[in-house]
Amino acid sequence: MGNKLLEVKNLKTTFFTVNGEIKAVDGISYYVDEGEVVALVGESGCGKSVSQLSVMQLVQSPPGKIVGGEIVFQGQDLLQCGAQSKEMREIRGARIGMIFQEPMTSLDPVQTVGSQLAEVIRRHKKVSKKQAWEIGVKTLEAVSIPDARVRMKNYPFELSGGMRQRIMIAITLACQSQLIITDEPTTALDVTIQAQIMELLMRLVRENKTSLVVVTHNLGLVTRHADRIYVMYAGKIVESGVTEDIITKPRHPYTIGLLNSVPKLRRDCSEDLNPIEGAPPDLANLPNECYFLPRCPYGKQACKGKKYPDLRQVDGQEHFIACFMDIGNDEGCTI
Amino acid sequence: MSAYIVKRILISIFVVFAVSIFSFMILQIMPGDPARLALGYEASEEDVQTLREKMNLDKPVVTQYILWVKGVARGDFGQSVIYKQPIDKMMAERVPRTLTLGIPALFIAAPLGIVVGVISAVRRGKPLDQILTFLTTVSMGMPVFWTGILSVFIFSVELKILPLQGYVSPSQDFGQYVYKAILPVFCMALPMIAGIARQTRTNMLDSINQDHIRTARANGLPERSIIFRHALKNAMIPIITVIGMQVRVVIGGSLLVEKVFNVAGLGTILTSSINTRDYIVVMVGVLIISLITVAVNLVVDILYGVIDPRIRLSRR
Amino acid sequence: MKKFIATLLVLATVISLAACGGSTKNTTTSASPESSNTAAMTEASAPATLTPTAGGILEIGGSAILPTDVTWFKVRGIMEVAFAGLWGYETLMRYSATGTPECFLLDSITPDAGALTWTMKVKDGITFSDGSKLTAEVVAWNLNYYKENGILASSFFSNFVNAEATDSKTVVCHFSSWEILFDYYLCRTVLIASKEAFDKGGADGLVANPIGTGPFVLKNMTPDVDMTMDKNPSYWQGQVLLDGVHYTYYADELVAMEALKAGEITAAMSDSYSSIDSLMKETISLTKTQTALPSYAYTMCFKSNDQNDPCSNLDVRKAISYAIDTQALVDTLTYGYGVKTTQWCMSNNEYYSPDVTGQPYNLETAKKLLADAGYTDGFSTKLWYLNIPQMSDTAAAVAEMLSKIGITADLNPIDAASYVNYIGGWDSGILIHTMGMEGGAASQYATTFVNDISFGLGMNAFAIPDSLDALVKQAKSAASSDEAVKLFKKVAYDVFEDQCLVKVLYCTTSYSFVSDKVHDADYCTVQNRRCDLWKAWVG
C-alpha cells in the first residue's frame, strides 16, 4: 500500500467520434512497484496501448479524452496536472519513459541520432552540448551499440530496426527514468533481435531498479520476464495476478482461451490450432452484461442478464478475476 | 552529390537554350513587322527596308538566332529598336526595380506564410485556424490588380497616407523608396503568403501526426521545439518548393502590379516589347527570367539535400 | 464559429463594395502632395493678387509616352514633334487653332511655284539655350541636315533639294518639283537644333544635351518614368518664370487623373473619354479645355476595288453611310465630347468643303439604296479594326447600326503589331481606321487618294478613279495655296460625297486639365501634346 511507484485507479478514456463514443479504456486499475516488471496483455484493440498513452497524457485530444480516474505517480495525481502542463512535461522522459512499437518511424529522420539524444538529455539535465553528447555516447555503449561515437553522427535511416530500438531504449536510459513503459517493444523486430532487446531491457531494469510496464500480446515474452500480469479485454481488466498463477492457473475464460490458442511445439503437427471463436465487441456499443459472454465457451446461460462482473479475488496471492464462474484450470496448460 | 549538381547544371543550360529558341520561334510566328512598327505608318517603304536590313530581319530565321546567341556570348545584348538604347543598359535600369519590389515581398511572405501555416496546423479546427484559412483562401482568389487598385483607392485616394504610384530607387532615397514600396510589396506578398501558408498547413498537419513527433512528446520535449525543430523541418521540402515557385513571380515582375503602381520594371518592358515586336528586348528579357528561374530551381534542389539527409546521402 | 465567419464575410463584402462604389466627394487639392518636387504648390503665397511670381517646378503628367529618342532629326509623329517643344526643340512653323500653318520662328514664308522655291524670313532675336543665335545660316543647315538624315525625310522632303541662306535673315528652299504643302510639313518635321552645339559635340553631343530654341532644356529623362526640364534663361519669347518642369509618366490614365485630383501633378492631358468625363464632372477647381485641333478621325474605309465585294458598289457604300447615325456615335462613344464632321478636317479649317454633306443619317434612304443595288435582303461583310477599347466599342456600335439595314458585320479586331499590315489592304469589307487629323486634310488626301503609292491607307483596297488620281496630283502641285485649297476641296467632294470611298464616323480631341494654382499656362489647348508653358507661373 505504501510505496507503489505508480497506481492507476479506475482509469477511463473515451474517444468521441462521429460513429459514437468509443470506450477504449473502461475503468481499469493497476499498480507498479519499484523495480517490478508488470505486463499488460490482450489482443489488438483491447485498450492496453491507449491506457499507457493515457498515463503519459499523450492521447490525441480531439477525439480522445480521459474521462475519469486517477493516475498517482510517486504520490502525485498526474491527471491534476494538465496534459500540456510544465509538470507533465517534466515527468515525461525524465521520470516516465516510453518506448514505442515502431522503431522504424519513431525517430526524426532529418536529425542525427546524436542530436536527438543530446536534445532530450539537455531537456532534462542542465548540461552543455558537449557534455550531453558525451552522455549520449556512454548511453549508446550501455545499450550495447558498437562504435557508439560513430553511430551518434548517423541518421536513423542508416541504422537497422534493432539498432533504432536500442536507441529508443537509450533515450529513456539517458534520462534515468524511474518507470519505463514499452508498447510492443519487439513486435516489429525479428526473433533473434527480440531476445536481445528483452535481455537488454531486463538488464537495465535490474541494474537501475527501474520499473517496467510491458504492453504486449506476446505471451511467451511475458512468461519469461514479467513479475505480474494484467489481462485486458474490451477496455477492462479481466484477470490479474503474479505470472506463475496466471500462466499455470488461469481462471478467466478469456485467459484460458488465450493460453490455449498458443501453438504448442510437439512432435506431431497433427493438432489444429484452437482460436477463440468470435470477435471482440464493438466498443461504441457495449452491452450491460459481461463483454466476453458472446465468445465464452463456458457459462452461457448463467451469466446472461447479469451486470458486468466486478473483479474478485480467487485462490493465491493477489489473483483477481472478473467472472461469475469458477473455471478451474484442469487441463494443465503450459506454454 | 556533386555529380548530381553537375548534371543539374547541364540540364539547366539546356533548358535556358530551349526556352530562348522557343521564344524566338514564337516571336517569328507572330504577325507584324518590327521595322514598320518602329518607324510608324508614315515612313516610306525605303526607310523601313533599311531598318529591316539593319535588324537582320531579311536573313533566314536560324541565322538570326545564331547571330543573337553569338552576340550574347560576346556580351553584346543588342539595341532596342524602340528605345534606341543598348539593352543591357535598359535591363540594368529595369530589372533592379522589379527585384527591389519582388525580393522584399518574398522575404516578407516566406516567413509570414510559414508562421501562418504552422499556427493554422497546430490550432487546427479552432477559430484561429478557421479565420486564417478563410483569409488565405480569399487572398489567393483576389486578383493582384484588384488588390492593387483597391489598396490605392483606400490608402492613397481616401486616406491619403500612402502615395498614389511610382517608384524610387533605394540607393537614391531610401526613405522615399520604402514609402512608395509599401503598397506594391504588400500586393505582391499577399498571394504569396496565402500560397505558402496553405502548403505549410497541409504539410505540417501530415508531419505532426508522424510517429517521431509522438516520441518527442513522450520524451518531454517542449511543444515549441517539437513544432519548429521536428515537425516543421520534416515538412519543409514541399514548402520550399512552393517558395521556389514564388520566386518566378518575383522575377517575372508581376506585370499587373507594375502597371497599377507605375513601376517601369522588367514585366512592363517585356510585355510592351512583345506588343511592339522589339524582338531582341524580348529575347533578353526571357533570357534573364529563365536564367534566374533555373538558378532558383537549382538552389531549391540543393536545399532539399541540406534539409533531408536521406536525399543527400543516398546514391543517385 | 460559422456565424462569426459569416459576419466577417459580410463585413468584407460591404467594405469592398463601399470602396468600389466610391463617392466622389473630394477633399480639396490643398492636401499635401507626396512628391518632394511640389514645393511650389503648397505655399499659397499671395492668394488674392495675381502678379506672376517667378520660381518653382511645375508638376505635370499624363500617359503621353516619353520620347525614347531625343535625337532631334529622328523625332517622328506629329504629336511627338509637338511634345518636343516641352523639352527643348521648336519648329519653324506651327499649326494655328484652325489647323493652318502659321510662322513661329519665322517672320514670313512665301511660295513661288514658278521658281520652285519657298523663301523664308527668319525672326530676329531668337537664341538657343546655349546662347547661339538663330540665323538664316542655322536654319538652312537644319533643313539640309534633315533632308540628309531626317527620319521622315523621304515622306515629306522628297521634292526638297536644298536650302540656301542668301543673307542673314533669308533662306531660299529649292524644290525639284512643286510642293504646295511645304508649310504644313514644316509644322511637323524639322526641329531646329543649335548648329554651334553640333559643331562642338556632333550629333552625339546634341543627343546627350539637346539644345534648341524652346523655353525649357531637357535635364534628365528616365524612359517610362519621368522627365525633368530646367528653364532656358534666354528664351526668345520672354522671361521664363518657372524654374523648371517635371513630367511624370503614368502608365494608367486613371492613376494620372487621380494624381491630378490629389495634387501630385497640377496639369494633365487626357485622350480617354471616360477619364475626361469623370474629370469634367469633378467639382474641384480645374481649368478644363478642349484641344482645338482634333486628333483622330474614326473613318470607315470601304474595300471598293474588289468586284466580288458588295462594297465595290457605290450605292452600297452610300447606303451604309446613310445608315450610320453619327450623332448617336458621338453621344455614346465619346460621352458627347467628340466632334462630328463629314471630312478629314473641322468646319473652321481652310480645306473644309461645305458641299460635302457626307450622307447624313437616314435609314429610309439607306434601305432604298441597298434595294436599288440589288441587296434587299442585305449581305454579310467584315469589319476590321485596331483592338483598342475605343475602337472596339465603335466597331460594335457600327455593326449594330448596319444590322438595321440587314447587313451582318463580322467583327475582326487586329492587335497593334499586326495592324500595320492591314492599313494598305484588307481581305474584304470595311476597315475602321483612326486617321490622324493634325497634319491637315490636304496632306492626308495627297498621300492616300493616288494610285501609285508604295505605302498608304487603302492602297490595295480603294478603287480610285483616274479622275480623282489626276485631281489629287494637280492639287498637290497647285501654284498657290488658294488654288490648292480650291482643288483639295474638290478632292474632298469626290472622296466623301461623290465616290463615298470612306465615311467619317466622328473625330476625337484631347482635353487638358490644369489646376487653378497654375496660371498663364497653355497646356495642350491648341494641339495635342503641344505645351506653351513659358509664361506659366504657380501661385
Side-chain angles (χ1 to χ4, degrees):
Chain A
M1 281 337 246
N3 52 356
K4 293 196 173 55
L5 183 63
L6 172 72
E7 188 167 4
V8 174
K9 298 181 194 166
N10 204 23
L11 175 65
K12 292 187 185 174
T13 305
T14 309
F15 284 85
F16 298 90
T17 69
V18 288
N19 297 324
E21 288 180 17
I22 300 180
K23 297 199 175 90
V25 179
D26 196 11
I28 64 168
S29 306
Y30 67 95
Y31 73 92
V32 184
D33 275 334
E34 287 176 25
E36 266 201 303
V37 178
V38 168
L40 244 65
V41 302
E43 54 192 58
S44 310
C46 69
K48 50 195 201 298
S49 300
V50 177
S51 64
Q52 299 316 299
L53 285 174
S54 306
V55 168
M56 294 286 271
Q57 297 205 54
L58 285 176
V59 177
Q60 273 259 358
S61 197
K65 198 167 177 317
I66 301 175
V67 295
E70 286 173 33
I71 301 175
V72 183
F73 179 71
Q74 288 177 333
Q76 188 189 9
D77 183 359
L78 296 182
L79 288 179
Q80 297 299 324
C81 330
Q84 311 286 2
S85 68
K86 205 159 169 271
E87 292 98 345
M88 205 55 222
R89 278 192 280 119
E90 292 290 331
I91 289 172
R92 284 194 212 115
R95 296 200 276 150
I96 307 182
M98 191 153 175
I99 300 173
F100 294 94
Q101 173 174 340
E102 284 292 337
M104 301 306 279
T105 54
S106 290
L107 290 170
D108 188 342
V110 301
Q111 305 232 2
T112 57
V113 163
S115 74
Q116 294 185 55
L117 250 181
E119 186 185 13
V120 179
I121 293 169
R122 289 193 74 206
R123 170 73 185 90
H124 294 290
K125 291 187 207 288
K126 275 194 162 33
V127 289
S128 72
K129 280 199 188 140
K130 266 189 86 147
Q131 288 170 315
W133 195 269
E134 286 306 314
I135 299 175
V137 173
K138 287 211 175 42
T139 321
L140 288 189
E141 286 168 354
V143 297
S144 314
I145 290 183
D147 285 328
R149 198 166 288 277
V150 178
R151 293 285 88 80
M152 288 283 278
K153 296 218 183 89
N154 280 134
Y155 287 92
F157 70 90
E158 296 177 292
L159 304 173
S160 70
M163 292 269 241
R164 293 190 219 186
Q165 198 63 306
R166 285 175 196 272
I167 291 168
M168 300 288 292
I169 298 172
I171 293 178
T172 54
L173 183 64
C175 301
Q176 294 165 329
S177 331
Q178 286 125 345
L179 170 64
I180 298 181
I181 305 175
T182 63
D183 190 351
E184 308 281 6
T186 54
T187 310
L189 304 169
D190 44 68
V191 182
T192 45
I193 308 293
Q194 281 184 19
Q196 287 179 16
I197 296 294
M198 284 314 295
E199 292 264 333
L200 172 61
L201 271 175
M202 290 294 114
R203 175 165 59 81
L204 294 175
V205 159
R206 277 193 314 271
E207 280 173 12
N208 302 314
K209 294 216 178 8
T210 325
S211 307
L212 188 63
V213 172
V214 183
V215 170
T216 182
H217 52 65
N218 184 338
L219 295 165
L221 193 138
V222 146
T223 318
R224 280 198 64 182
H225 303 290
D227 297 324
R228 288 184 299 112
I229 298 178
Y230 293 86
V231 181
M232 278 185 73
Y233 183 74
K236 286 203 189 285
I237 293 179
V238 296
E239 186 161 1
S240 67
V242 298
T243 308
E244 207 192 320
D245 283 348
I246 303 287
I247 298 301
T248 55
K249 292 180 278 185
R251 296 296 300 275
H252 192 283
Y254 177 62
T255 321
I256 297 171
L258 265 187
L259 291 165
N260 276 343
S261 66
V262 175
K264 295 168 193 39
L265 223 52
R266 285 208 224 276
R267 266 186 214 274
D268 55 42
C269 307
S270 56
E271 262 191 43
D272 295 325
L273 292 173
N274 295 319
I276 307 176
E277 299 293 335
D282 177 5
L283 294 174
N285 288 310
L286 290 166
N288 251 338
E289 47 187 24
C290 172
Y291 298 161
F292 192 62
L293 194 48
R295 308 167 78 182
C296 185
Y298 303 102
K300 288 283 173 83
Q301 300 308 5
C303 302
K304 252 202 169 43
K306 295 199 195 148
K307 203 168 79 71
Y308 191 92
D310 296 320
L311 278 170
R312 63 185 170 90
Q313 185 152 17
V314 290
D315 52 65
Q317 44 183 336
E318 288 206 41
H319 193 168
F320 293 85
I321 61 173
C323 185
F324 298 118
M325 319 273 294
D326 264 320
I327 320 286
N329 186 2
D330 305 305
E331 304 187 36
C333 251
T334 51
I335 310 290
Chain B
M1 185 70 169
S2 44
Y4 171 66
I5 295 182
V6 167
K7 194 170 89 159
R8 289 285 282 110
I9 291 178
L10 286 174
I11 293 182
S12 307
I13 296 178
F14 170 72
V15 166
V16 170
F17 262 106
V19 167
S20 80
I21 292 176
F22 193 59
S23 338
F24 192 72
M25 281 180 355
I26 292 184
L27 286 168
Q28 294 292 331
I29 294 176
M30 281 174 10
D33 179 356
R36 167 58 68 182
L37 273 169
L39 292 180
Y41 303 162
E42 289 143 342
S44 70
E45 195 53 32
E46 300 95 57
D47 287 338
V48 174
Q49 185 58 28
T50 316
L51 187 56
R52 261 191 219 119
E53 281 162 22
K54 193 156 156 262
M55 288 171 75
N56 290 331
L57 291 173
D58 50 336
K59 299 199 176 60
V61 172
V62 178
T63 317
Q64 288 186 45
Y65 180 72
I66 293 178
L67 283 172
W68 179 74
V69 173
K70 277 192 183 160
V72 168
R74 276 199 311 267
D76 172 17
F77 289 91
Q79 249 217 355
S80 160
V81 171
I82 304 292
Y83 286 86
K84 307 215 188 47
Q85 281 187 318
I87 296 178
D88 46 14
K89 177 159 165 281
M90 279 173 66
M91 289 301 176
E93 280 175 0
R94 288 164 180 276
V95 172
R97 290 183 195 137
T98 301
L99 291 181
T100 48
L101 290 180
I103 292 185
L106 188 64
F107 271 77
I108 293 174
L112 215 59
I114 292 179
V115 164
V116 167
V118 166
I119 295 177
S120 264
V122 167
R123 301 251 177 280
R124 174 209 202 163
K126 302 222 178 70
L128 190 54
D129 172 33
Q130 292 181 324
I131 295 176
L132 287 174
T133 309
F134 170 71
L135 287 175
T136 51
T137 314
V138 167
S139 304
M140 281 180 79
M142 298 197 291
V144 70
F145 59 87
W146 185 81
T147 326
I149 294 176
L150 188 62
S151 56
V152 165
F153 186 81
I154 295 177
F155 293 102
S156 312
V157 177
E158 293 292 319
L159 294 178
K160 294 194 184 356
I161 51 175
L162 285 174
L164 214 50
Q165 54 82 46
Y167 173 86
V168 172
S169 156
S171 55
Q172 197 183 324
D173 182 341
F174 194 75
Q176 274 291 308
Y177 156 70
V178 170
Y179 185 52
K180 287 196 181 235
I182 293 178
L183 280 182
V185 167
F186 165 71
C187 291
M188 284 178 86
L190 202 58
M192 284 193 215
I193 294 176
I196 296 174
R198 282 177 70 104
Q199 187 69 33
T200 305
R201 179 180 186 275
T202 309
N203 290 104
M204 275 299 284
L205 285 176
D206 276 343
S207 184
I208 288 181
N209 289 328
Q210 297 288 324
D211 282 344
H212 64 87
I213 300 295
R214 190 182 53 178
T215 311
R217 287 216 180 95
N219 290 332
L221 292 177
E223 195 66 12
R224 201 172 14 99
S225 162
I226 292 178
I227 299 294
F228 287 101
R229 266 192 82 178
H230 294 277
L232 185 59
K233 200 171 174 209
N234 273 279
M236 272 315 264
I237 289 196
I239 297 174
I240 289 197
T241 312
V242 167
I243 296 181
M245 280 160 54
Q246 305 297 342
V247 174
R248 234 162 290 161
V249 169
V250 164
I251 303 307
S254 189
L255 163 72
L256 298 166
V257 168
E258 288 184 15
K259 185 108 209 287
V260 170
F261 292 99
N262 211 25
V263 178
L266 182 54
T268 321
I269 189 64
L270 202 52
T271 40
S272 76
S273 299
I274 292 174
N275 279 333
T276 53
R277 305 290 191 273
D278 203 350
Y279 284 171
I280 309 298
V281 176
V282 178
M283 294 295 289
V284 175
V286 166
L287 181 67
I288 293 176
I289 294 180
S290 56
L291 277 175
I292 297 182
T293 305
V294 143
V296 165
N297 283 344
L298 198 57
V299 165
V300 167
D301 271 359
I302 295 178
L303 275 179
Y304 288 165
V306 164
I307 294 175
D308 192 335
R310 291 172 288 190
I311 295 176
R312 188 188 337 147
L313 295 173
S314 56
R315 298 275 164 267
R316 274 191 180 261
Chain C
M1 187 54 215
K2 296 237 162 58
K3 243 211 229 158
F4 177 71
I5 294 195
T7 323
L8 214 64
L9 253 172
V10 170
L11 258 173
T13 320
V14 168
I15 292 177
S16 32
L17 279 177
C20 295
S23 61
T24 46
K25 65 163 165 52
N26 248 296
T27 52
T28 67
T29 46
S30 57
S32 42
E34 291 78 9
S35 166
S36 53
N37 284 334
T38 52
M41 292 178 290
T42 40
E43 291 84 26
S45 40
T49 60
L50 284 173
T51 46
T53 46
I57 308 277
L58 184 63
E59 287 288 338
I60 60 178
S63 36
I65 297 178
L66 292 177
T68 56
D69 198 341
V70 293
T71 315
W72 75 103
F73 56 89
K74 284 198 183 157
V75 178
R76 59 175 169 266
I78 299 182
M79 292 187 194
E80 280 68 42
V81 169
F83 200 39
L86 182 59
W87 46 270
Y89 292 119
E90 296 175 322
T91 47
L92 291 171
M93 304 195 65
R94 301 209 305 192
Y95 295 113
S96 70
T98 58
T100 317
E102 45 181 33
C103 291
F104 186 59
L105 296 177
L106 302 174
D107 269 337
S108 66
I109 185 166
T110 320
D112 186 342
L116 290 177
T117 59
W118 282 79
T119 307
M120 309 169 180
K121 294 272 186 221
V122 181
K123 253 192 196 134
D124 283 328
I126 299 182
T127 50
F128 290 91
S129 53
D130 64 356
S132 61
K133 290 201 179 44
L134 180 70
T135 63
E137 198 196 319
V138 173
V139 171
W141 170 78
N142 267 287
L143 289 165
N144 290 325
Y145 193 83
Y146 195 84
K147 167 73 182 173
E148 275 311 299
N149 304 290
I151 195 90
L152 294 173
S154 50
S155 308
F156 297 108
F157 271 57
S158 47
N159 293 329
F160 175 92
V161 175
N162 71 345
E164 193 193 332
T166 53
D167 60 44
S168 62
K169 226 176 116 84
T170 315
V171 179
V172 179
C173 302
H174 299 277
F175 288 81
S176 57
S177 64
W178 185 232
E179 189 69 77
I180 188 60
L181 297 171
F182 188 58
D183 52 350
Y184 276 85
Y185 298 159
L186 287 178
C187 300
R188 61 185 292 184
T189 48
V190 187
L191 291 168
I192 302 299
S194 159
K195 180 164 185 294
E196 191 176 295
F198 180 83
D199 289 338
K200 282 203 193 115
D204 290 336
L206 266 177
V207 171
N209 293 303
I211 309 280
T213 56
F216 297 100
V217 182
L218 184 66
K219 182 166 148 194
N220 179 51
M221 182 193 56
T222 318
D224 289 343
V225 179
D226 66 359
M227 201 162 69
T228 320
M229 280 75 68
D230 284 337
K231 78 171 181 190
N232 174 4
S234 53
Y235 185 56
W236 62 275
Q237 284 199 69
Q239 180 68 4
V240 175
L241 289 168
L242 293 165
D243 282 335
V245 178
H246 179 237
Y247 179 91
T248 310
Y249 169 65
Y250 291 88
D252 197 281
E253 269 273 335
L254 291 171
V255 180
M257 296 303 128
E258 285 303 321
L260 181 65
K261 285 193 247 179
E264 256 183 41
I265 52 174
T266 47
M269 176 270 308
S270 175
D271 292 331
S272 144
Y273 282 112
S274 44
S275 317
I276 291 171
D277 189 48
S278 89
L279 271 178
M280 292 298 274
K281 296 201 174 98
E282 274 297 319
T283 49
I284 55 173
S285 39
L286 288 173
T287 312
K288 307 168 187 181
T289 322
Q290 180 179 27
T291 309
L293 294 178
S295 316
Y296 294 107
Y298 279 62
T299 312
M300 282 175 73
C301 307
F302 297 99
K303 186 163 177 77
S304 39
N305 68 351
D306 182 359
Q307 292 307 317
N308 298 325
D309 194 314
C311 293
S312 60
N313 184 320
L314 176 59
D315 280 343
V316 168
R317 299 201 293 273
K318 287 194 172 166
I320 292 178
S321 188
Y322 275 110
I324 306 291
D325 182 356
T326 49
Q327 185 60 52
L329 289 179
V330 165
D331 291 338
T332 51
L333 297 174
T334 68
Y335 294 71
Y337 298 108
V339 180
K340 258 177 40 169
T341 182
T342 55
Q343 50 204 274
W344 281 345
C345 53
M346 307 264 274
S347 54
N348 58 5
N349 183 265
E350 60 178 351
Y351 285 102
Y352 183 79
S353 164
D355 297 331
V356 176
T357 59
Q359 296 87 38
Y361 180 52
N362 191 325
L363 266 184
E364 296 311 314
T365 319
K367 287 185 187 147
K368 181 174 174 304
L369 276 171
L370 206 56
D372 286 348
Y375 289 101
T376 10
D377 295 330
F379 57 90
S380 65
T381 186
K382 293 187 180 168
L383 275 180
W384 305 87
Y385 56 96
L386 179 63
N387 196 5
I388 52 173
Q390 184 73 22
M391 190 51 101
S392 300
D393 292 341
T394 308
V398 165
E400 213 231 304
M401 289 175 181
L402 290 182
S403 68
K404 293 210 169 74
I405 59 170
I407 300 179
T408 23
D410 183 32
L411 298 176
N412 291 291
I414 309 165
D415 79 290
S418 319
Y419 185 68
V420 74
N421 296 336
Y422 287 80
I423 298 178
W426 50 96
D427 195 26
S428 68
I430 301 163
L431 174 78
I432 308 182
H433 180 63
T434 45
M435 198 65 192
M437 288 182 77
E438 288 174 6
S443 58
Q444 302 294 45
Y445 300 146
T447 50
T448 311
F449 298 110
V450 286
N451 270 322
D452 50 358
I453 37 173
S454 58
F455 183 79
L457 175 65
M459 66 179 181
N460 293 323
F462 292 149
I464 298 169
D466 291 334
S467 57
L468 178 57
D469 178 84
L471 182 61
V472 172
K473 290 190 169 118
Q474 196 189 357
K476 261 169 71 167
S477 44
S480 68
S481 47
D482 284 339
E483 199 188 321
V485 166
K486 214 169 65 165
L487 289 170
F488 274 117
K489 283 188 183 177
K490 266 204 182 159
V491 169
Y493 184 82
D494 270 357
V495 167
F496 296 103
E497 189 71 24
D498 195 43
Q499 291 295 314
C500 196
L501 289 174
V502 299
K503 160 84 177 184
V504 177
L505 297 171
Y506 61 90
C507 293
T508 56
T509 62
S510 55
Y511 270 75
S512 84
F513 299 96
V514 179
S515 147
D516 271 2
K517 290 207 168 50
V518 180
H519 308 269
D520 295 334
D522 172 4
Y523 188 67
C524 307
T525 53
V526 174
Q527 184 186 359
N528 196 342
R529 306 282 197 281
R530 192 174 91 195
C531 315
D532 265 326
L533 296 174
W534 70 272
K535 281 193 283 194
W537 55 281
V538 181

